[in-house]
Amino acid sequence: SLRPDVLIVDYHLHDRENGLDCLDILRQAATAAEGALLTADGSESLKQQAQARGYPLLTKPLRPASLRSFLAACLRAKSA
């Protein structure tokens, strides 16, 4: 079965669902996957919530350099 290496999930999803809860569920299903939260919400509260759950926060608009840096860190972690 195919499993993702990286999960990048937007914070604002449909209705009451959010990206943090989605990442938790997806990470349980794909235990080796690295995850990050993507959002335009730069609030300190959301940053703390993401950090508490172990997810880096990628902010919109996402710069290509930030995405490359995150993906490179994921590759390094996977090969370690």
Side-chain angles (χ1 to χ4, degrees), residues 14 17 25-26 29 33-34 36 38 47 51 62 65 67-68:
H14 184 47
E17 297 174 8
I25 292 166
L26 290 170
E34 296 290 327
L38 179 65
K47 290 177 188 177
Q51 184 178 27
L62 183 58
L67 179 59
R68 279 192 301 273

Side-chain angles (χ1 to χ4, degrees), residues 52-80:
R53 294 189 190 188
Y55 303 119
L57 192 70
L58 302 174
T59 55
K60 293 178 187 178
L62 183 58
R63 287 178 258 147
S66 296
L67 179 59
R68 279 192 301 273
S69 176
F70 170 70
L71 293 174
C74 291
L75 285 174
R76 283 192 301 275
K78 186 174 180 170
S79 65

